[in-house]
Structure formats: C-alpha cells, structure tokens
Amino acid sequence: WLRMVRNGKFTLIGPQTSIGNMYLGPLYYYLMLPFYFVLGTVGPSIGVALFGVGTTILLWYCGREWFSGKIGLISAFFYAISPVAIIYNRSSWNPNVMPFFALLTIWGVWQFWQKEKYEWLTIIGITLSFAIQSHYLGLLLLPVAGIFFLLKLAELKKEKDKDKKIKKLFFNFGLCALCFVLLTVLPLVWFDLRHNFLNYNSFYKFFSERQTTVNFKFYKAIPNLWPLWRTLVTDLLAGKNQTFGFCLAIIFGLSAVIFIFHKRGVFLKRKAVLLIWVWLAIGLLGMGLYKQHIYDHYFGFLFPGIFLMAGWIVFQAVNFHRFWKYFSPILILIVLILSLAENPLKYPPNDQMRKVEEIDRKIIELAGDLPYNFALIAKQNYEAGYEYFLELWGKPPRQIDPQKYKETVTEQLFVVCEDPVCDPVTNAKAGIANFGWSKIEQEWSFPWGVRLFKLSHLINKND
C-alpha cells in the first residue's frame, strides 16, 4: 500500500500462502487501498472492521429474507458476540474479509436460483474472486454455486418458455466466467509469465505431492466430518468451551435433521435451508480432504452459514415442542455467557504497531546516516512489519543480494529477535548468513521481551 501510494507500484500478486509457497491474487490489496490512502497505516484494519460490520448486517438481512426477522437477528447477534469472529474482524489480514464475500456469493446464488435474477451471476463472478483471493479455501464455494446452477438449468428445461430463459442464464454465466478470469486468473497468469511460472509450479507440487497436503479420495473425508463439525460449532458458538461445544454440535446436528424432515410440515422455506446445508456440507467435505492442521480462519467461508443455521434451529425449536420453547432462550443465554467470557475485547491490546515503531526509531537512531542491513528472527512474524516504518520514514534497509554482495552488504546489521532463545551470530537465516562472519557489538532489550542486536563484520567484508 505504501509503495502503491508513494511510488505508483501496483502489484499483480497478493499475499503468500502459509503452505505451498503459493500466492493469492491481489484483490485484497486493492480492496483496502482506499482505506490506506485516506487513513494511513491503520486504514486497512479499519476497513476490515467495517467489512465485519457489513457481514453482521448482511447476516441479519439474509436471515430475514430467507426465514424471518427474528432468525436474522439471532444469526447476526451470534456472529456479533462470537470471540473468533471478533478476533478476525479487528486487524488487517486477507482471510478476514472472506465471510463477507462468501455470504454475498451465497446470496447471489439464491437470487438466480429462486428469483431468476440471472444478472447476479455476473456479481457472483466478482464476489467469488474476492473470496478466493482472501484464502484459497474459498474455491469450495465454486461447487456450491455450480450445483445450484445445474439445478436451475434442470428446472428451466421443464418450463414451456425455456429457450429464452436458458439463453439468458448462459449469457450471464459467460459474464460470470469472464469476471472471474479477469479478476482472478489473468493477474496470476501474467505474474507467472514474468516469474518463470512460480505460482503454477507451486500449485502443481501442492496437488501432485499429496502425501502431506490433500487427498482426492472423497470417501476419506467422511470420518473427518464430525470432528470438523464439532470444531466449527465449538469455536464459533461455544466460546471454545469443549464440553458445551460437543453438546451443541450434537443438538444442532440432530435438530436440523428432525426439523427438515418433520411430518407436520410447519418448518417450511426448506429451499433456503437446503442452500445453507449444501454450503456447509460441501465446505466440510472439502476441508475433510485437507491433511494439514486446520486453523479457525480456514472456516472463514463457512462462518455465515453456521450462524444462519444456528439462528434457524434456535427459532424453529420454539415452535416444535413445548419443551423447546423454554430450552431455546436458555441455549441463547449460554452462548451469550460463554462468548462474553472469552470476548477478546476484555483483554488489553498488544500495542503491536507502537512497539514496532519504537524499535524502528531505535534502529534509525543507531544507524545514523550510514546504510544498514536488517533481519528478523521470529517464529510467527515477518520482516515486512518492521521494514514498513523504516521505509515510510525514508530510511529503508538495504536488501542483501548475494550476486551483488559488495554493493548491498553494509558495515552494520540490525537483528530484531522476538524468540525467547536467540543467537543472531550463528543463525542460518539468509538475511543474517549472507552478512558474513559477524560479532555482536551491542544489544538492547525492550520491556515486552523483544531484543535488538547490532552486528558488525568479524572480518573485512571485502576479503
């Protein structure tokens, strides 16, 4: 964002994935660029928070349209108090906007499937692009949209004036595909053509060497459905309380089956229920094929679905049996208590930005007017966070290029260490190892546990 605004350096590629050395598309950067331009460093975080508010409003609106106003309110309320939802709506990170675009995609599916507003297919091409470029698990929204496209096509073939509608359906499908290609495929292809097919090779390796990544045998995902369902319900609705989450997962699972197939037929509007459950089922099946550890943000494209499902079940239960009339308010109260107990807003902020600013000011002070190199030792952080302020203030570090060693290596290397045990002299990280044999000249400790080292060459860098 800084380089876009200051240097006009626009990008064709987005953030790197944590697994597989793949890159997402750049839409998240462009989505948050106006917020950065107007509000500066904190702008993208504010933008994400506003999209979180938008997701809450959209949940209420979808719940009201599909079911009733009360169900919409319950769904939005559950989302608004969920600790996981709050955590992922208070900082700038590309997966954090995925719930908004996932829900907007499903809303678009409803529009062309049930209301025959085929122009929404074009919008789906855009929302899918944003969802997938937030996190590649957004790809699991594609089969959901595809299933209901085929259902609509099958319905149209039974109608008398089918030809005109089918033609309109496919025309808008073509626009959908065009938007998706232009926004998602084209930037990645263009990037690969300029960088020796880096992303393509990473994709190919990820899906071809599947021993530790994914499994294409779909039946093997079935044993993982219950653990994934339990995790999804526990983390989003039970404040990560394992006991209550386990019970809630069973209650919601059984209630959904009972309510859908109940013979009295009072639980109507099942098409919206079908849409939500296909969405959840495809998502869980897809994630069941993934062999790596699954973090909360991986569920981002399913977040709205689980809250809509919860709102529908809690409200419908009131009309199902006299017992449930009293049980549902108790259930809502327990969800409220557990969510508030783990509410992240009750903890003091980590002051991450201020701490980085303080360390960067110290580096600039120590470096003086001389050039310097920089490196970070941390298990869960990257250099870019520190380099941002150094570049913003006009004192960027030099990047060591082994091919141009003498031109890019300076006389001083500053190393920030966030790990409890740290030896920058022997660390094998490229930014440190490429500096050459070195010694520690000075060391500073900050109150929050981070240390700063100044290293110099043990021998002359020209030798």
Side-chain angles (χ1 to χ4, degrees), residues 18-225:
S18 56
I19 295 176
N21 195 32
M22 298 176 289
Y23 286 86
L24 297 161
L27 280 183
Y28 176 73
Y29 290 151
Y30 293 101
L31 180 68
M32 292 298 152
L33 180 59
F35 295 99
Y36 180 84
F37 183 80
V38 174
L39 301 170
T41 303
V42 298
S45 295
I46 294 173
V48 167
L50 291 175
F51 271 95
V53 173
T55 306
T56 308
I57 296 171
L58 195 56
L59 270 169
W60 162 76
Y61 184 77
C62 291
R64 187 191 70 172
E65 291 295 306
W66 287 339
F67 304 111
S68 70
K70 291 181 180 179
I71 292 178
L73 283 174
I74 294 171
S75 301
F77 174 71
F78 280 163
Y79 182 78
I81 64 172
S82 172
V84 170
I86 293 172
I87 288 172
Y88 289 116
N89 280 295
R90 62 188 302 212
S91 63
S92 173
W93 194 26
N94 46 287
N96 295 359
V97 298
M98 186 158 61
F100 177 83
F101 290 104
L103 181 54
L104 201 55
T105 298
I106 300 300
W107 174 253
V109 170
W110 177 262
Q111 295 302 305
F112 80 74
W113 177 44
Q114 286 300 303
K115 297 192 174 182
E116 297 190 347
K117 295 181 179 180
Y118 302 128
E119 61 274 11
W120 269 89
L121 278 164
T122 306
I123 299 173
I124 287 173
I126 299 172
T127 59
L128 273 174
S129 297
F130 276 100
I132 292 169
Q133 293 185 44
S134 300
H135 196 286
Y136 275 130
L137 278 171
L139 287 166
L140 291 171
L141 292 169
L142 283 172
V144 179
I147 287 171
F148 288 97
F149 177 84
L150 294 176
L151 280 176
K152 187 60 187 176
L153 182 60
E155 291 172 5
L156 290 178
K157 287 185 176 180
K158 298 178 182 179
E159 297 183 7
K160 293 182 179 180
D161 55 342
K162 61 181 180 180
D163 292 340
K164 185 177 179 180
K165 290 184 177 181
I166 290 177
K167 185 178 179 180
K168 188 176 180 180
L169 179 70
F170 274 101
F171 174 77
N172 283 279
F173 175 78
L175 292 177
C176 171
L178 179 62
C179 289
F180 184 78
V181 168
L182 291 176
L183 292 174
T184 302
V185 179
L186 186 60
L188 295 178
V189 171
W190 191 355
F191 174 84
D192 268 10
L193 289 173
R194 295 172 55 187
H195 296 86
N196 199 28
F197 295 95
L198 173 65
N199 225 31
Y200 169 79
N201 291 329
S202 297
F203 265 101
Y204 180 79
K205 184 177 180 180
F206 182 83
F207 287 103
S208 61
E209 299 178 4
R210 303 192 304 272
Q211 292 84 357
T212 59
T213 54
V214 293
N215 195 325
F216 285 157
K217 297 177 181 178
F218 287 94
Y219 65 88
K220 291 195 174 182
I222 295 175
N224 298 324
L225 291 180

Side-chain angles (χ1 to χ4, degrees), residues 125-339:
I126 299 172
T127 59
L128 273 174
S129 297
F130 276 100
I132 292 169
Q133 293 185 44
S134 300
H135 196 286
Y136 275 130
L137 278 171
L139 287 166
L140 291 171
L141 292 169
L142 283 172
V144 179
I147 287 171
F148 288 97
F149 177 84
L150 294 176
L151 280 176
K152 187 60 187 176
L153 182 60
E155 291 172 5
L156 290 178
K157 287 185 176 180
K158 298 178 182 179
E159 297 183 7
K160 293 182 179 180
D161 55 342
K162 61 181 180 180
D163 292 340
K164 185 177 179 180
K165 290 184 177 181
I166 290 177
K167 185 178 179 180
K168 188 176 180 180
L169 179 70
F170 274 101
F171 174 77
N172 283 279
F173 175 78
L175 292 177
C176 171
L178 179 62
C179 289
F180 184 78
V181 168
L182 291 176
L183 292 174
T184 302
V185 179
L186 186 60
L188 295 178
V189 171
W190 191 355
F191 174 84
D192 268 10
L193 289 173
R194 295 172 55 187
H195 296 86
N196 199 28
F197 295 95
L198 173 65
N199 225 31
Y200 169 79
N201 291 329
S202 297
F203 265 101
Y204 180 79
K205 184 177 180 180
F206 182 83
F207 287 103
S208 61
E209 299 178 4
R210 303 192 304 272
Q211 292 84 357
T212 59
T213 54
V214 293
N215 195 325
F216 285 157
K217 297 177 181 178
F218 287 94
Y219 65 88
K220 291 195 174 182
I222 295 175
N224 298 324
L225 291 180
W226 166 248
L228 286 170
W229 171 253
R230 185 182 62 200
T231 300
L232 183 61
V233 173
T234 300
D235 291 358
L236 295 180
L237 290 164
K240 297 200 172 186
N241 183 293
Q242 296 299 317
T243 301
F244 181 68
F246 179 84
C247 297
L248 200 60
I250 294 175
I251 292 171
F252 279 176
L254 292 178
S255 298
V257 173
I258 294 171
F259 295 163
I260 290 171
F261 297 105
H262 189 254
K263 64 181 181 180
R264 289 163 57 189
V266 296
F267 308 107
L268 299 178
K269 298 188 178 180
R270 294 176 184 169
K271 288 186 176 179
V273 176
L274 174 65
L275 176 59
I276 293 172
W277 275 103
V278 168
W279 176 15
L280 291 172
I282 294 293
L284 292 175
L285 277 170
M287 295 181 73
L289 298 173
Y290 186 65
K291 295 182 179 180
Q292 300 288 330
H293 179 75
I294 293 178
Y295 298 94
D296 285 338
H297 67 274
Y298 288 11
F299 290 109
F301 71 103
L302 293 179
F303 279 10
I306 195 71
F307 290 107
L308 284 167
M309 181 277 303
W312 175 75
I313 289 177
V314 168
F315 183 76
Q316 296 291 9
V318 174
N319 300 319
F320 181 70
H321 191 275
R322 186 179 300 174
F323 168 77
W324 287 95
K325 184 176 182 179
Y326 303 101
F327 183 75
S328 288
I330 295 174
L331 198 64
I332 294 174
L333 182 61
I334 295 175
V335 171
L336 174 63
I337 293 172
L338 292 176
S339 296

